[in-house]
Amino acid sequence: MKIALVTIHNANNYGAIFQAFALQEVLSRYGEVEIVDYENRHVSRSFDLVRLKPTLHGALGAGKDIFRILPRARAIKKFKAFIRTNFKLTDRLSQRDLLQNGLKDFDCYVAGSDQIWNPACVSDRREIDPVYFLDFASNGCRKISYASSLGSYVYDENEKAILKNLLRDFSNISVREKSAKEFLDSLLGGGVSHVLDPTLLLSMEEWLVRLDVNNYKAKLPEEKYILLYTVPKVPLIRKAVDLVAKKMKLKIISLDQGLSAGAAVDRQIRDAGPLEFLKLFAGAEFIVTDSFHGVCFSLNFNKPFMAISPGKHSNRLESLLGGLGLINRLIGSEDELKGFSGFESDCSYREALQSMREASLNYLTRSLEGMGAQSARLNL
């Protein structure tokens, strides 16, 4: 069976790269997988050394890129090397190529994870992109989604009609957040599954061994450290880092390509590639993060962590941590921060995580039933 996977795979973003890799790995148990090398400039612009956009915000962003151009260049080089080494891609195709000419010779098309169904994440104009809804797929072929995400985007009535039409011929639909399941169930009349992010389908051992992380040579900390990984850089991060540093009496290492770490740290690593990311998470004593994928890797690597709520964008974290009985690790206020006591490793969620992982893999088996899934089931 030949499977075409559409996802966000070509971005200077750790979470995007890892979810694409993980889903490719899992789908390969069912057949031959190729990631559709869709050239979406809104996404791939993150690989431009200096990102230029004719807006005030764009000008400020370009200035920041110039000030950190050397570590940025090193990081981008590492990301591109990871993609070349680990992804099996189709030819590079534009939206016009795909929608006008289609993509033939595949038995199944998969709309993958990440925020591919969030117009704000995939379009300069905040428009629904039909490519991420497999609108180019050959007629009669099976179309499914796995952990596709709407993020916190709210569809208006016109967009709901477009969305419903684009999803009408999907065989199976699954999403990453409980809120997205409830929304689509209401829109489509039910039948939507709630599954894990692909990064959680692989165990820690699978991540480290498959990518040979332990043998990757990089100048990483030799002493014990607390890892800070922040994406939206919510203000509460500063106080969270101060509290954890005082409590644990360890140095703070920041994994952040930006000019600032968003908090007081002992060292900021601005040029980490994907393998350094994994190595830093695997070696940390404790993790402070406001990132969804920061939490995913903390869980997978069995690290004690504090998740700082990114406010209105916290539905992903609430869905995941609520399902694992770890909502107390999601901190949204100074009072919650002062009452935090989870500085030690906690294995109580492992059984729930394994159960969710098995349910998610079973979803894929059911979705691909009759297309080689019977043999794949034996290898899960």
Side-chain angles (χ1 to χ4, degrees):
M1 173 173 55
K2 293 192 67 177
I3 302 170
L5 169 61
V6 176
T7 189
I8 296 175
H9 69 284
N10 54 345
N12 178 17
N13 179 286
Y14 302 102
I17 289 292
F18 288 133
Q19 65 81 24
F21 171 81
L23 191 50
Q24 176 187 257
E25 286 288 294
V26 173
L27 287 173
S28 69
R29 303 173 188 176
Y30 298 88
E32 182 183 346
V33 183
E34 289 186 48
I35 296 176
V36 179
D37 195 9
Y38 173 36
E39 174 53 16
N40 178 342
R41 277 297 291 154
H42 182 75
V43 173
S44 65
R45 187 180 290 115
S46 64
F47 278 143
D48 292 353
L49 200 54
V50 178
R51 293 165 291 179
L52 298 171
K53 293 180 70 175
T55 64
L56 176 60
H57 184 267
L60 292 173
K64 291 179 181 179
D65 288 346
I66 291 170
F67 276 110
R68 58 187 175 126
I69 196 163
L70 292 180
R72 179 170 170 77
R74 292 193 294 269
I76 289 172
K77 182 178 180 180
K78 293 170 185 176
F79 270 84
K80 289 183 175 180
F82 184 92
I83 291 170
R84 285 195 307 271
T85 303
N86 295 290
F87 289 174
K88 184 175 183 181
L89 303 174
T90 66
D91 292 335
R92 182 161 295 178
L93 300 163
S94 68
Q95 184 185 78
R96 183 176 180 179
D97 293 332
L98 287 164
L99 297 181
Q100 289 190 355
N101 303 318
L103 184 65
K104 300 177 176 61
D105 301 325
F106 287 93
D107 304 299
C108 181
Y109 298 80
V110 179
S113 188
D114 221 338
Q115 297 188 58
I116 60 171
W117 292 351
N118 181 346
C121 284
V122 298
S123 168
D124 286 326
R125 299 179 179 179
R126 299 172 68 91
E127 296 175 343
I128 293 172
D129 188 334
V131 169
Y132 293 113
F133 290 87
L134 310 178
D135 205 35
F136 61 88
S138 301
N139 291 333
C141 287
R142 186 168 300 200
K143 293 162 63 172
I144 71 170
S145 73
Y146 183 84
S148 303
S149 175
L150 287 65
S152 58
Y153 190 82
V154 179
Y155 283 80
D156 63 28
E157 292 305 313
N158 180 58
E159 290 171 327
K160 287 179 184 178
I162 296 171
L163 181 62
K164 188 173 183 178
N165 183 58
L166 286 168
L167 293 173
R168 72 189 186 284
D169 57 352
F170 272 62
S171 302
N172 298 84
I173 298 172
S174 69
V175 291
R176 192 172 63 183
E177 294 88 33
K178 184 178 179 181
S179 58
K181 170 182 165 53
E182 292 170 351
F183 166 67
L184 290 180
D185 270 339
S186 175
L187 183 70
L188 304 173
V192 177
S193 298
H194 177 208
V195 295
L196 282 176
D197 183 84
T199 59
L200 291 168
L201 297 181
L202 302 182
S203 68
M204 177 178 68
E205 290 74 21
E206 288 174 306
W207 278 108
L208 298 181
V209 173
R210 168 65 178 81
L211 293 170
D212 198 21
V213 172
N214 291 331
N215 290 323
Y216 179 73
K217 295 181 180 179
K219 295 179 180 179
L220 300 181
E222 296 182 359
E223 69 277 14
K224 291 183 178 181
Y225 60 91
I226 298 160
L227 180 64
L228 169 63
Y229 177 57
T230 174
V231 177
K233 291 185 172 66
V234 296
L236 193 57
I237 277 285
R238 300 185 186 91
K239 292 183 178 180
V241 167
D242 289 343
L243 183 146
V244 176
K246 290 175 182 177
K247 174 69 177 179
M248 301 190 70
K249 296 180 173 57
L250 295 175
K251 288 187 175 181
I252 304 289
I253 304 298
S254 168
L255 195 170
D256 194 313
Q257 293 185 28
L259 283 177
S260 168
V265 301
D266 295 286
R267 177 184 172 191
Q268 181 178 350
I269 299 175
R270 292 189 176 91
D271 60 355
L275 297 182
E276 287 156 297
F277 177 103
L278 293 175
K279 200 157 189 173
L280 282 163
F281 268 78
E285 297 297 312
F286 189 91
I287 294 163
V288 179
T289 185
D290 56 12
S291 155
F292 174 74
H293 283 108
V295 168
C296 287
F297 280 98
S298 299
L299 291 167
N300 234 0
F301 289 8
N302 197 31
K303 299 294 180 178
F305 67 94
M306 178 188 291
I308 305 301
S309 171
K312 66 179 182 178
H313 302 295
S314 65
N315 61 326
R316 295 181 292 170
L317 289 172
E318 291 169 358
S319 179
L320 176 60
L321 294 176
L324 294 174
L326 295 175
I327 200 68
N328 61 316
R329 287 190 176 272
L330 182 60
I331 305 301
S333 68
E334 288 189 39
D335 286 341
E336 291 176 351
L337 180 61
K338 292 174 183 176
F340 183 82
S341 59
F343 293 96
E344 303 295 330
S345 294
D346 177 6
C347 297
S348 63
Y349 67 90
R350 302 301 295 178
E351 185 175 341
L353 179 59
Q354 183 58 27
S355 177
M356 293 167 70
R357 180 179 289 151
E358 290 173 0
S360 298
L361 292 169
N362 285 337
Y363 163 82
L364 280 174
T365 297
R366 292 193 308 272
S367 300
L368 298 169
E369 198 73 49
M371 305 181 72
Q374 183 65 38
S375 59
R377 187 191 295 112
L378 301 176
N379 296 319
L380 294 179

